[in-house]
Amino acid sequence: MTPKDVLALCKSKDVKLVDVKFCDFLGTWQHFTMPLRELEEEVFEEGLGFDGSSIRGWKSIEASDMVLILDPKTAILDPFPAVPTLSIVADAVDPLTKEPYSRDPRNIARKADAYLKQTGIADTAFFGPEAEFFIFDDIRYDQTSHSGFYYIDSNEGIWNSGREELPNLGNKLRHKEGYFPVAPADTQIDIRNDMIMVMKDCGLRVEREHHEVATAGQAEIDLRFNDLVAMADDMMLYKYIVKNVAKKHNKTVTFMPKPLFGDNGSGMHVHQSLWKKGKPLFAGNEYAGLSQMALHYIGGILKHAKALCAICNPTVNSYKRLTPGFEAPVNLAYSSRNRSASIRIPTYSPSPKAKRIEYRPPDPAANPYLAFSALLMAGLDGIQNRIDPGDPLDKNIYELPPAELKKVPSVPGSLAESCDHLAKDHEFLLKGDVFTEDVIETWIEMKRKEQDQIRLRPHPYEFHMYYDC
């Protein structure tokens, strides 16, 4: 779509307002809205100014002026405002030089895609994330100097099996039994179907939706794979749609990795493959029908996996999901069909076009632009340096004897530990100027501050454990 096409769309749909969206450093969409008359063809070239110092992790106040350049290919009709509104995604640039801003996540993703082409290894990297989330009926939380609590509720939650509901009709999903019974146990078919219909209207290609393992409305909606930048754009739109459709149903959605104790957390398994001139490069005659290139790509991800966690599992809460002994894929191994390994090679289809790898540790709190870019850079490093991933592990890792399990490396146990690994291991991210030292340093600094915010506050369960000491 060109600027002229965008303006023609606005005219044909009687658009009154334009909503400009962009992604902040940590992965949240920001926006401002203007009357349609302000959108002229020149705006697409000249951009729109805004205060970059008010965006997390971006400019300081003495150099706050920035410009957003609208990307006409991202223009859609926003499905939620009452007034007909065009939604369009923008890239941040310097107002003087018009150079793309190094801390703009979308710019980092663009550079990763350009670097891939520059290497000559491939011309397209496809990503297909499987994001999980919870749909709750109520969420309350607070923290003061002398108190702290959270309270989650869901009409579907097993803890409400004895609640007076006048009448309580039962059908509360037990812990870890949400994958995936039919109605009436699955109470959220209509809301998920509403979500995918809105996604379809907005141009997203949905593969399927279903209830996930946990009680209390855990869900998954899978999008069809797309190239790196487009898939990250799709994931931002996906989150926007899911949260706003939930609100229309008087419910709330969270992509927080581990909101419930004693049940599954929410992951974002990321399927990946490389293509060149329309041909898949990951299909071959090696293990599980992979090519040698794919095995080296796996080797790169496994080598850098601990550093990748700081970007792909970017919250303190992420590591309450990534806990050894539970279902989350903490074991840094690869295997065909094996969901206990961090890298799985799906075998649903014999077609070379379907050959891909699935990296399972990431969670949906990740900034998709940064996560997909970092995974690509790790995989490319594996290809360039012919990194051997070792032997596959075709066993249920959860049932390995302790002596054998010790030999299998695992992901870090905390955000702080992941940041330590990223500080030591990020040269692979700097190739092609995709990530910069400034980006890495700023990311680590912000994440360490997040860790401190949790570390300094007493946890409610500490009173249960220690008040009588």
Side-chain angles (χ1 to χ4, degrees):
M1 189 176 290
T2 67
K4 285 185 178 179
D5 294 331
V6 173
L7 294 175
L9 173 67
C10 292
K11 184 176 181 180
S12 66
K13 299 297 183 180
D14 196 28
V15 165
K16 305 295 185 186
L17 299 171
V18 177
D19 196 62
V20 179
K21 298 180 175 73
F22 63 98
C23 184
D24 73 11
F25 197 46
L26 297 182
T28 300
W29 251 356
Q30 310 292 330
H31 81 125
F32 60 81
T33 308
M34 61 186 186
L36 178 62
R37 66 173 179 272
E38 298 296 321
L39 185 66
E40 300 176 341
E41 278 196 63
E42 293 77 13
V43 169
F44 286 90
E45 184 174 339
E46 297 171 2
L48 299 162
F50 73 104
D51 176 9
S53 69
S54 296
I55 305 302
R56 297 180 298 177
W58 278 18
K59 290 284 190 177
S60 57
I61 198 165
E62 74 276 5
S64 59
D65 285 358
M66 299 188 75
V67 168
L68 290 173
I69 301 296
L70 311 184
D71 184 347
K73 296 191 299 295
T74 66
I76 61 167
L77 294 178
D78 196 313
F80 299 110
V83 176
T85 301
L86 182 86
S87 174
I88 191 165
V89 177
D91 299 293
V93 304
D94 183 274
L96 301 179
T97 66
K98 292 298 174 74
E99 287 292 316
Y101 182 43
S102 63
R103 294 188 198 173
D104 178 0
R106 197 165 189 263
N107 173 45
I108 291 170
R110 284 180 178 277
K111 288 193 292 182
D113 186 60
Y115 177 70
L116 170 67
K117 294 177 172 63
Q118 177 189 324
T119 65
I121 293 170
D123 53 35
T124 306
F126 284 123
F127 286 81
E130 298 176 352
E132 299 164 346
F133 53 92
F134 279 89
I135 306 170
F136 293 137
D137 289 284
D138 189 44
I139 174 68
R140 291 178 282 129
Y141 50 88
D142 197 11
Q143 178 77 54
T144 69
S145 63
H146 66 285
S147 67
F149 81 96
Y150 69 89
Y151 183 82
I152 294 168
D153 204 6
S154 166
N155 293 333
E156 190 184 271
I158 186 60
W159 56 84
N160 282 322
S161 60
R163 184 172 66 178
E164 184 66 62
E165 294 182 347
L166 302 173
N168 187 327
L169 300 178
N171 298 309
K172 313 295 186 185
L173 290 172
R174 289 179 288 271
H175 289 296
K176 300 182 182 294
E177 294 187 15
Y179 190 90
F180 29 55
V182 298
D186 181 358
T187 66
Q188 298 184 345
I189 298 170
D190 288 338
I191 185 173
R192 294 196 309 271
N193 286 344
D194 282 355
M195 289 170 178
I196 66 174
M197 293 309 293
V198 175
M199 289 179 186
K200 178 178 174 292
D201 290 343
C202 290
L204 298 182
R205 294 186 65 185
V206 176
E207 289 192 331
R208 68 194 65 184
E209 60 86 355
H210 58 83
H211 202 289
E212 255 300 338
V213 173
T215 187
Q218 191 181 34
E220 178 177 315
I221 299 176
D222 298 336
L223 298 182
R224 187 168 177 80
F225 64 87
N226 210 337
D227 65 78
L228 193 159
V229 178
M231 190 71 249
D233 287 343
D234 289 350
M235 277 307 301
M236 299 303 295
L237 179 57
Y238 170 105
K239 285 188 171 184
Y240 179 69
I241 291 170
V242 165
K243 290 180 178 181
N244 280 283
V245 169
K247 187 180 179 191
K248 284 198 167 188
H249 283 256
N250 201 33
K251 294 182 185 290
T252 178
V253 157
T254 182
F255 288 91
M256 184 177 176
K258 187 71 172 178
L260 295 181
F261 169 70
D263 213 332
N264 283 34
S266 293
M268 185 178 69
H269 310 151
V270 182
H271 295 252
Q272 302 159 65
S273 64
L274 297 182
W275 290 55
K276 189 173 185 179
K277 296 181 179 179
K279 294 183 178 181
L281 302 180
F282 276 11
N285 299 315
E286 302 296 328
Y287 173 79
L290 292 175
S291 65
Q292 190 64 57
M293 176 185 289
L295 289 175
H296 288 149
Y297 190 99
I298 289 172
I301 289 181
L302 291 178
K303 176 182 178 181
H304 300 297
K306 295 186 178 184
L308 288 171
C309 281
I311 296 172
C312 296
N313 306 92
T315 70
V316 176
N317 182 258
S318 298
Y319 299 85
K320 291 178 170 59
R321 167 180 169 263
L322 292 181
T323 303
F326 293 87
E327 189 171 333
V330 301
N331 305 292
L332 296 176
Y334 73 101
S335 181
S336 171
R337 301 188 294 173
N338 187 350
R339 283 173 167 80
S340 66
S342 62
I343 295 181
R344 183 178 76 95
I345 298 94
T347 57
Y348 297 127
S349 169
S351 171
K353 293 182 178 181
K355 190 56 63 178
R356 62 196 187 276
I357 71 159
E358 175 194 15
Y359 187 55
R360 295 173 62 79
D363 64 58
N367 182 328
Y369 297 104
L370 302 186
F372 300 162
S373 298
L375 287 169
L376 175 62
M377 296 302 288
L380 290 177
D381 186 62
I383 294 169
Q384 291 165 329
N385 292 292
R386 303 184 65 80
I387 297 174
D388 184 357
D391 295 329
L393 192 54
D394 292 326
K395 299 179 181 179
N396 185 344
I397 303 174
Y398 302 132
E399 296 181 359
L400 289 179
E404 197 172 347
L405 185 60
K406 280 185 178 179
K407 299 176 184 178
V408 182
S410 61
V411 299
S414 70
L415 181 60
E417 187 182 342
S418 294
C419 287
D420 290 341
H421 285 287
L422 182 59
K424 296 173 187 174
D425 177 24
H426 61 260
E427 289 295 322
F428 69 100
L429 296 173
L430 304 179
K431 294 179 181 179
D433 197 40
V434 174
F435 289 77
T436 64
E437 286 285 2
D438 171 69
V439 165
I440 300 297
E441 290 171 4
T442 303
W443 185 263
I444 291 174
E445 179 185 0
M446 294 181 74
K447 292 300 163 181
R448 291 201 191 282
K449 287 180 179 178
E450 284 183 30
Q451 182 85 48
D452 284 346
Q453 291 298 312
I454 304 295
R455 182 177 60 85
L456 294 172
R457 287 167 168 78
H459 188 284
Y461 202 69
E462 292 176 4
F463 289 86
H464 173 81
M465 297 178 69
Y466 307 128
Y467 189 77
D468 60 351
C469 65

